Amino acid sequence: MSQPNRLADQRPPEFSCAAIDPARSLRFTLDGRTIVGFEGDTVLSALLADGVDTAGTRSGFPVALDAHSAPAIALDGNAKRPDLAMPMALCPAMDGAAYVSIGTRRTITPAARLMKLFSRPSRSLGLDLDAGQALPGPWIDTPAARRESADVVVVGGGVAGLSAALRAARNKAKVVLIERDPILGGVSEYFGKAEGEPAPDALIATLVAKVAAASAIKVYTGTQAFDCNDGVVDTIGVSVEGGVPRPERLAFSGKHVILATGCAERLPIFPGNRLPGVRGSTFSWRMAAHFNVWPGRSAHVHTTTNVGYRMALLGSGAGIDIRRSSDPRAHPQTRFIEFCKAYGFRLGWGAAPATVLEADGSLEIRLADIETGAMQDGAIHAESLILSGGWQPELALWLRAGGTARWDHARQCLVPVGHAGSLAFAGAAAGFLSLPGCAASGEATADWLLSGTQTEIADPQIDPIFETPDGMPFFSHPRRRDLPPAHRGITGPDRLPEPPLSGLKAFLTRTQPTVADPAMALDPLDVAGAIASGALAAEAAPAWCAERCILPRGFAPRALPAQRDEASGLPVWLAGRFGPGQSVWQLVAETGRVFDPGCLLFPNTDETDPLAAIGVILGETNGTLRALLAHRGIGSGDAIYVRDGLTCTAIRLDQKVVLQD
Amino acid sequence: MAGQPENIAVVGSSPFALLLAGLLAADHSRAVVLFARPFSRQRLARSLPLSLAPLTRPETIRLALDTTGEAVRVLARVAPGATSRTNALFAAQATAEIAALHHFRHAAAGFGRIVERLPDAGLSLLARDCVRFHHAPFAAAIQGWLDGLGVRCVEDSGGLTVHRNGTGQWDAVTFERVILADDEALTTYLDAEEMAGVATTLPMAGFLTERVAPLATEMSVHVDARVAIGQRRDGALEIVAADDDGFAEARIAASLPAGCTPRRAAQSRFTLLRPLDGAPLVGPLKRSRAFILAGLGVHDIFLAPAIARFICGAASAEEAAWCSARAATRNPSGSPVAEFAA
């Protein structure tokens, strides 16, 4: 069946405003494999829809294809051109296009190649993720093709970003609004309507319409900001000219930059947390809402947040068989749970995945009791595992701009501290949780930057009696050595340690010391995962973020300033080398041979100890050999010996040249 | 008569400072309290310690060669894998640096070290069988070693008072001696004016890169570019470069072997204290009487056993002479120990 992971026509209203046009199907190839999609798909969404759900392997285990692991791609023939590389998640799927993924591949043996002919198409892009990925992508080294300036650059087109852009425009500012997704609005709709608040979809529709009508606001959707320095936001997008997708490297400079980048989803840490089929709930929501893609026909939902239950409801509404949900919190209360009960879902509280194994597209999920650690009876079998692990403010741009972050123990996440040039936060990235709070925060930030007025922002929360606060990050150590890795983060190979070897095996196996620092630039999510799982002290967060959360650029060659290249006079490091009376002499080399500077001079041929040397060759100037000599009652015509490696050559003193020291 | 062991406060977070604290406790039975910045051990390395550096004073090369074996044995006790044998490349293009490298080559050869001249442009020397220090295994094991020796580790949050006579006070503990054992400790506890009399600060940049193919030489020091490159066991490069001119990255690019174009994995900026005459500073300062250790260079960790002996009055005549000649009270102008500060 073509596009096995595309949702059927029966979908909840939340998944009905997709960016795709199901009436217009298209075909393209990636690495020679034909993929079927719809117009409006990105290459990533089309791949997932068509059953490709694996980016490659790391440490011998497959890794899910998602927004974090999706490699850069290029049109066939351009793979070696970093300036023509495009993000897979932003590149439109174009009918007839031939794409190639960029990354290291595992070597395929001839036998495996032969087997491939007779087997089902692979679900994997076949990347070797052990070699690491240069995230965000090769375009970070290419200069911007076009620069644009504005008074205010807003990064993020969610409720906070839209509100900030509108308020800035009302303050007579020229505004550029940058949004990574193809559709404005962010993920507010995923959170649903709360009592006493406007419906997110209605608010977003109003804001989007106002932005579209505001001539002072220029919107760039499908554009990802990856760097920010001195008020310049570097972005990558993909434009299509004549049916051919091309990367579009743009730079936007603004007097003010508002980061309305929202929150990233924390990764719960347990063995198998990055296997194919395992994915974050916001990524799942984006794929379903924007592209009607839901990999797998059945799902287990594990959530430490209230909104995670909503994903179960939406999935069920879209015809997905929700097998069960689990939550590490003991007795969570949320309106979504009541709905789940009404749907008849099996809910499990105080439990979390202890291991997840994957075979032939099916996951085997085993839960453990949070309190006792005891494994629960029976495994859950589902084609996907949706994880909602809580929130980490999206700080990558902030840190790359020179901002710092600290660990907030109460919220169990990194939070920004201090200042970074002209940057300011708004919305969820600034810690606001409610829809009105995010909207007001966007407006207040714009007001504060442009007119200096400070406004108090209300961020109404539902009473914890009715809505239990989101849970803390959780991690579950591997109980055996043969389990898939429990990745601490999204970027590198860092994972929870396996149980130590025991007995003879431990005696015979020499364990290599763990490399404390991975050779890879990190995302703030990686640092958060390392702190949450105890690998890194919370107090180390500022230093680690500053040192590690960088853009993995190369070292650009550049013309160097001219070096001084003279060696006049006696170098200071020879001062007093042969005592207070040392002096410079001209020498006569009887054999006519040339000596390197540094050759040591001795009174006889036996001595070799540099500490017993009586002088040293300084070099040859205008054909005259000179040496620095100790004051030892020697005079013109006396013979001394030059040692050059194993050879020792007689040389005669000519005259004292200049007295040093 | 067995008296109370001398109370010594060691202030510093560098591997050298940590090893010194351990040696004072282990080999010299001192009661040591280590004041270290929190979590500095997980930060990017600020130097690439090597047993042999391109130095021009034979007595320093000799001391480093003499103490390296002992340091390696101690480090093996701390963390197996903290050191390894390697060849190191020292390269220069400019006349003054080439001359210094020539002097180093002949001095090292005089002590029996194999230092080959390579047929490269400028002057390239390959020093065989050097010992290299590995930060990661050391960092993972040092706390356990210090704990085992009874070294009390205290987060250095400014609670230590250093008196004018070189003693110190922390809560109810009085220290007969306070040793400021790394650059950060010196800049924290000494006033800028006093420091300016003995050392200048040099802006530095440190980098870790993603993994690259094995380099022909695991360690290289590009003397006139002021860039040191070391390849870790996992293939990543550790790079430290002077950045006083803002051209550190360009000089690194020029120093990397042809075809090696690594991406950064981490980066840091810091300052290095450079003694005015380039030679180490060992001992009390004139005014504050604080015992300082600075400018020991890339082989600092390999000199640690000798320094520990000197502090405890157990140094050999050669070690004592070397340390005394490098007293922090010396006049840096026309200094007879001035060193080529590579």
Side-chain angles (χ1 to χ4, degrees), chain A residues 330-363:
Chain A
H331 298 289
Q333 295 290 327
T334 162
R335 61 198 186 279
F336 301 128
I337 288 179
E338 300 310 314
F339 289 124
C340 286
K341 284 177 181 170
Y343 272 75
F345 294 161
R346 279 185 70 198
L347 306 172
W349 297 333
T355 61
V356 176
L357 301 173
E358 189 262 349
D360 290 332
S362 179
L363 299 173

Side-chain angles (χ1 to χ4, degrees), chain A residues 82 129-135 137-141 510 512-522 535-540 543-544 546-561 563-567 572-578 596-600 608-611 616-618 643-645 661, chain B residues 38-39 42-46 56-59 62 80-81 93-97 99-100 102-103 105-111 117 135-137 139-140 207-211 224-225 232-234 236 238-239 245-254 256 261-268 277 334-341:
Chain A
L129 300 174
D130 286 325
Q133 283 176 288
L135 294 172
W139 48 85
I140 62 173
D141 293 327
R510 186 180 166 169
Q512 287 293 321
T514 313
V515 176
D517 40 352
M520 202 171 278
L522 300 180
L536 188 68
E539 289 77 359
W544 254 58
E547 290 186 354
R548 311 271 163 171
C549 296
I550 62 166
L551 210 55
R553 287 204 161 103
F555 296 94
R558 192 172 139 203
L560 291 165
Q563 270 190 323
R564 59 179 176 78
D565 194 22
E566 78 286 351
V572 291
W573 39 267
L574 282 177
R577 165 78 172 83
F578 297 101
D596 279 340
C599 283
L600 294 169
T608 60
D609 184 352
L611 293 173
V616 67
I617 298 287
L618 294 174
R643 181 159 286 282
D644 189 357
D661 292 310
Chain B
F39 318 109
Q42 289 158 318
R43 298 188 66 174
L44 215 52
R46 294 185 168 194
T56 47
R57 296 284 171 182
E59 62 271 28
R62 164 81 162 270
Q93 306 286 330
T95 310
E97 281 75 11
H102 274 302
H103 281 258
R105 176 186 164 221
H106 287 281
F111 291 121
R117 186 173 176 173
H135 187 80
F207 297 93
L208 177 71
T209 75
E210 293 180 358
R211 291 183 287 173
D224 37 12
R232 276 188 349 188
R233 288 172 174 136
D234 64 355
E238 292 175 310
I239 303 174
D245 55 1
F247 280 84
E249 290 157 34
R251 285 188 278 104
I252 290 168
L256 286 165
T261 53
R263 287 184 176 279
R264 293 170 219 195
Q267 62 187 28
S268 69
D277 61 3
S335 162
V337 293
E339 184 54 90
F340 170 69

